[in-house]
Structures are given as C-alpha cells and as structure tokens.
Amino acid sequence: MTVTESARAVIIGGGVNGTGIAYHLAKRGYTDVVVLEKGYLGCGASGRNGGGIRQQFSTKENIILAMESTRMFEKLPDELDTEIEFEQGGYLVLAFTDEEVEQFKKNVKLQNDLGLKSSFISAEEAREIVPELNISKVLAGTFNSTDGTIYPFPVIYGYARAARGMGVDIREHTTVTDIVTQGRTIRAVKTDRGTIETDTVVNAAGGWSAGIARMAGVELPNRPYRHEIMVTEPFKRFLEPMVISFQHGIYFSQSRHGNVVGGIGNPHEEQGINQRSSLWFMRTMAKTLTELVPRFSAVNMIRQWAGLYDTTPDAQPILGEVPEVERFFQVNGFSGHGFMVSPVVDKVTAELILGETPSMNIDGLSVTRFKGMDLEMEYSVVG
Amino acid sequence: MTTVVCRCEDITEDDILEAIRDGYREIEVIKRHLRLGMGPCQGKTCIPIIERIVARETGCKTQELDIPTARPPSRQVSFSLLAGDDRD
C-alpha cells in the first residue's frame, strides 16, 4: 500500500547524526519529524566504528568541533539516562617519520592555542604511557588525556528512545528512492513504503550521502571507502589509551570489557560500497599490531568486520545548506571521524533547521568550499 | 529458573525478554544492546536460541528474521599465527 503523508522535516539516515538531530529538534518542540533508515538503527558507520573520541586534529574546525563534542559526551549519560561506556584513557598518537614529527609539533601548538591540553612527547614518554609498546621505530608522539573511547550503540539507541518519547517518527527498514524538487524547493521524499511531503531534508546517510544528494540534483564530492576493523577475545585490561599511527593507518584500544578493538586502512582500497571482510586486513592488522605491541602475539582475534568512511577531498565534513536546493541540509563527509564530532554537529544542525543563528560558526564547512578554493587539509586521519 | 542463552557474555532469557519489552525487537539490535553473541564463540551457540525466542515473542517465523553476518575468523585465531610468513 502506498500512502502520502507530510512532515516538517525528513531526516535520511538512522545513525548517530540522524537520531541525534531528531533528538535536538524534538527537545526544542520541533517533533513533526520522520527519520528514515534503510536497515536497523546504527547499521552503518555509526555502529561499525572503533568508538574513538579524539580531539587531536590538525585543523581549527575539527579541533573545535571535537572539543565541544567531548564536553557534550561527558554529559550525555545523564541527559539520555544511559550508560555509554565513555572511557577517557587518552589518545596516544605515534610519529614514525620526520614529517610527522614536524606536523605533530604544529598540531599541538594549534591545539594548545585553542585550549586543548595535549602535549608533544618523546618515544620514551610514550612507553611510560604504554609500557608494552615497542618504541624502536617511534620518533615521538602526542598525548591528550581527555580523549577516549565510547560504546556507540547506547548513544544511538538513547537518542532514538528520547526522540520517539517526544513524538518523532523513526522508521527502520525504509529505503529512500527519490527526493522530489520543484525549482529550488523540496516537495517530497519518496520511499519504498510511500511518499512523505516535506520542504526540509537532512542528508545524514554516511557512505550513501552522495547518492542521496544526487536524488535532489546535488553533486557532493564525498566518496565511500571501506575500512576494516576487528576485535579480540577479552583479557585483563592493560591498555589505557587509544593508540594510533597515521603512518601505519592503525588504531587500537582496549574496552572496559577487555576486548581489544582496532583497525588498519588499506592505502589501495577501491572506492565503493563494500563492507565485506578481507584476508589482507586480518594479516596486515596482525603483523602491524604485534610489531607495535609484541605482547599481543598470544591474543586471539575473534571477529573482523567493515564499514564505510564517507571521505571528502580535505577529510573535513560537509555541513549546512547547499546553493542549489533550499532547506537541504548536509551532515556527511566525516571521513572516518564522524561519531566523535556528532554531539555539536547535531546541535548546530538542529539550530540551522530551526532558522536560528548557530551556536558555533560552521560556514567554513559548507560544500561551497570545494569550488576553486585552496583547501585546508586535515592531516590527522587514521586509516 | 534462570536460563543462560549466551554463555560467553552471560546473557539470560530474562535479559532478552526485557530487551524485547524495551523495544529492541531485532536480533541485530538485541545483540548490540546486550553484547549477546559478541564473545569468543561469536554466537554459534546463542544465535539459534535467540532466533526462536524473538520469533516466539514477535510472532514471526525464524526464517523471516535477519541474523548477524557470519564474519571471519570462523574460529578464534592468534595474532602470531595470522602474522606468520607465507608458506606457499
């Protein structure tokens, strides 16, 4: 049966941003909202990532977004009445090349100027933080103690439960098939289960965002790339911080349950929607991990999986409206660091939808920056 | 009497019934909410049991339910073995 109905806003994507924006809108009394998710809530990158919450970035925009988001994550358990397992064991970032050492010095300077208490440390100091670390090839590092990890699902489910409680309609297993526009105005969103008339659409579809935008005649530069990840059996917790290396494209941390969760990027990964598992990943992860922490040799891997980075040319997100279509809000292109900036992104996006001046200026993250401008590249991307 | 469904993560049938009452009605979502099937056996024991519980509670047939994707390794494997040299 096909039905036609209407809503003030339709949010496409039931991940952390889709549910989070619905939550922020509902809290402000804007509850005539439909969230559409083609699978189950959190089945995309929001539920496939390593749970890292990092503020150590190289661009001002990402540092500010991540710092404010971390403060918001700290309050989220009380706000949503849920346990999100936010462990602030810090992020230890390792440098393996002279270029990384120089870049990390610049990063820490900028981070400190913006109020983040990160520090540039020696290889020996890195080993004091993680005594099991093999520092034979480590040149230096950076550390920030308020970074950490989170369990993503209760955040998504917490937003969804609160939003639904306030009257938001969240529909799973519903696929968007078209966005109907007339001139520069949105008229409706078509799905496999009917049409919803609306003039406001949020594109929070992660790796599928460029495809969603195309339905409204908007071309985004984001492209999806698979990133693989794995988990070990649980064992006694000895690893406090998340450890990452941009040079190796690796990150790993140990959850409060004792499992080590980590991933490594394949520099030859082909663009496309692919969430299958590869043998290359399993072997490369094992080789790199045991080289960095030899003690891991005896540990068993129990599962590997994969998700999509929605990657932009400068590895920074695309937020706000687009020139071609009115009230078509973008919340995508997070390039592998979306969950960690989602609290402030969701709050600001809700403010934009409500027609308010946003509490944080995000003009620099508009899609228009890709038109012939010099891009400020985010270098601190893992994998 | 308490019935343990997931031995790795110590999840009981009552935990699952409570999750279903709280609105977690899909196996994929119950898994992530309770960590059911996330232990060393990766659901080999508990997924068939939870299929029957969810089918019974939601009025579906087990064949209609989505179950978690089977992923490598099929049995747990040590990093030293995975990192070993190619022998071919």
Side-chain angles (χ1 to χ4, degrees):
Chain A
M1 192 181 76
T2 312
V3 288
T4 300
E5 41 193 346
S6 67
R8 269 181 96 179
V10 172
I11 298 171
I12 302 171
V16 70
N17 290 311
T19 56
I21 292 163
Y23 166 73
H24 281 282
L25 285 172
K27 223 170 53 164
R28 305 288 306 276
Y30 192 111
T31 58
D32 184 17
V33 173
V34 180
V35 179
L36 300 173
E37 166 53 56
K38 78 186 177 83
Y40 53 89
L41 295 182
C43 71
S46 292
R48 292 168 185 268
N49 65 84
I53 306 297
R54 166 165 62 103
Q55 301 158 88
Q56 299 179 76
F57 284 94
S58 74
T59 68
K60 188 181 165 188
E61 280 80 6
N62 278 335
I63 296 167
I64 292 172
L65 287 176
M67 283 177 70
E68 180 57 23
S69 291
T70 302
R71 283 190 283 268
M72 291 173 75
F73 273 126
E74 288 167 354
K75 295 180 195 145
L76 209 51
D78 285 339
E79 202 178 325
L80 297 177
D81 190 25
T82 191
E83 174 55 64
I84 62 172
E85 301 182 19
F86 189 16
E87 299 274 356
Q88 288 174 290
Y91 249 66
L92 175 61
V93 189
L94 302 172
F96 288 85
T97 67
D98 293 335
E99 291 75 24
E100 280 193 310
V101 170
E102 288 314 305
Q103 181 66 42
F104 285 14
K105 283 179 184 167
K106 281 187 217 161
N107 294 353
V108 169
K109 169 83 173 62
L110 178 61
Q111 290 156 9
N112 291 168
D113 287 348
L114 293 168
L116 186 70
K117 294 190 175 90
S118 56
S119 41
F120 185 84
I121 59 174
S122 67
E124 287 73 24
E125 286 170 315
R127 191 168 56 185
E128 280 168 27
I129 296 168
V130 180
E132 296 79 7
L133 195 65
N134 168 16
I135 56 165
S136 61
K137 291 176 184 165
V138 176
L139 300 182
T142 69
F143 185 73
N144 178 52
S145 64
T146 57
D147 292 347
T149 57
I150 214 162
Y151 188 53
F153 299 107
V155 178
I156 303 164
Y157 300 156
Y159 282 143
R161 187 173 57 236
R164 278 174 168 152
M166 290 184 277
V168 171
D169 184 356
I170 300 178
R171 300 181 194 174
E172 298 171 86
H173 302 290
T174 306
T175 304
V176 172
T177 55
D178 198 12
I179 298 171
V180 183
T181 55
Q182 189 175 45
R184 298 181 66 238
T185 307
I186 295 172
R187 292 294 183 200
V189 174
K190 287 188 173 178
T191 79
D192 59 349
R193 297 184 178 208
T195 298
I196 305 164
E197 290 175 349
T198 189
D199 68 354
T200 302
V201 171
V202 178
N203 180 6
W208 291 264
S209 292
I212 291 290
R214 217 166 285 133
M215 292 178 183
V218 173
E219 192 59 41
L220 296 181
N222 334 2
R223 293 295 177 262
Y225 289 89
R226 173 177 69 171
H227 275 258
E228 297 187 78
I229 177 167
M230 62 94 226
V231 62
T232 71
E233 61 186 335
F235 54 98
K236 190 177 176 193
R237 193 146 184 253
F238 79 98
L239 185 63
E240 277 284 313
M242 172 82 89
V243 180
I244 65 175
S245 157
F246 304 122
Q247 177 71 17
H248 296 89
I250 195 172
Y251 62 91
F252 55 94
S253 68
Q254 191 173 16
S255 78
R256 72 164 59 160
H257 304 279
N259 313 78
V260 170
V261 173
I264 192 163
N266 185 342
H268 305 294
E269 188 65 51
E270 285 178 25
Q271 177 191 308
I273 306 269
N274 172 13
Q275 300 190 116
R276 296 178 63 187
S277 299
S278 77
L279 184 61
W280 179 93
F281 166 78
M282 189 187 252
R283 292 183 55 100
T284 310
M285 187 73 203
K287 281 178 192 168
T288 313
L289 198 56
T290 53
E291 192 185 313
L292 289 174
V293 183
R295 187 176 161 182
F296 278 136
S297 294
V299 172
N300 286 318
M301 182 193 291
I302 61 173
R303 186 178 177 85
Q304 66 178 113
W305 68 97
L308 298 172
Y309 275 26
D310 180 32
T311 300
T312 59
D314 61 357
Q316 300 208 73
I318 295 175
L319 302 178
E321 290 192 83
V322 295
E324 301 93 332
V325 180
E326 283 169 15
R327 297 192 67 74
F328 186 34
F329 297 91
Q330 304 309 310
V331 186
N332 48 57
F334 291 97
S335 309
H337 43 265
F339 207 103
M340 56 185 82
V341 298
S342 61
V344 71
V345 162
D346 298 346
K347 180 166 174 260
V348 167
T349 302
E351 290 164 351
L352 290 175
I353 294 168
L354 291 161
E356 297 173 358
T357 306
S359 51
M360 186 174 285
N361 185 348
I362 52 158
D363 291 349
L365 295 170
S366 156
V367 69
T368 54
R369 73 180 184 272
F370 298 106
K371 292 238 160 70
M373 284 170 56
D374 282 336
L375 296 176
E376 189 188 5
M377 187 73 193
E378 171 60 67
Y379 292 107
S380 300
V381 179
V382 60
Chain B
M1 198 178 76
T2 303
T3 306
V4 173
V5 173
C6 170
R7 297 184 295 201
C8 303
E9 297 288 336
D10 196 20
I11 311 292
T12 66
E13 182 175 17
D14 286 345
D15 294 331
I16 294 164
L17 295 175
E18 189 187 338
I20 294 172
R21 276 198 301 276
D22 287 344
Y24 302 92
R25 299 177 69 84
E26 261 187 84
I27 296 172
E28 290 274 27
V29 176
I30 294 168
K31 170 186 165 179
R32 288 158 177 82
H33 173 56
L34 295 177
R35 306 180 63 84
L36 174 135
M38 288 192 179
C41 95
Q42 283 296 301
K44 288 188 189 70
T45 307
C46 61
I47 295 298
I49 301 171
I50 192 181
E51 278 184 66
R52 288 198 290 279
I53 296 172
V54 172
R56 187 185 73 210
E57 296 299 317
T58 62
C60 294
K61 291 183 176 145
T62 51
Q63 303 94 299
E64 295 166 357
L65 301 172
D66 290 329
I67 57 164
T69 311
R71 293 275 193 179
S74 57
R75 290 181 188 182
Q76 49 184 326
V77 187
S78 73
F79 283 122
S80 61
L81 189 67
L82 292 171
D85 293 332
D86 289 315
R87 301 270 177 221
D88 53 6

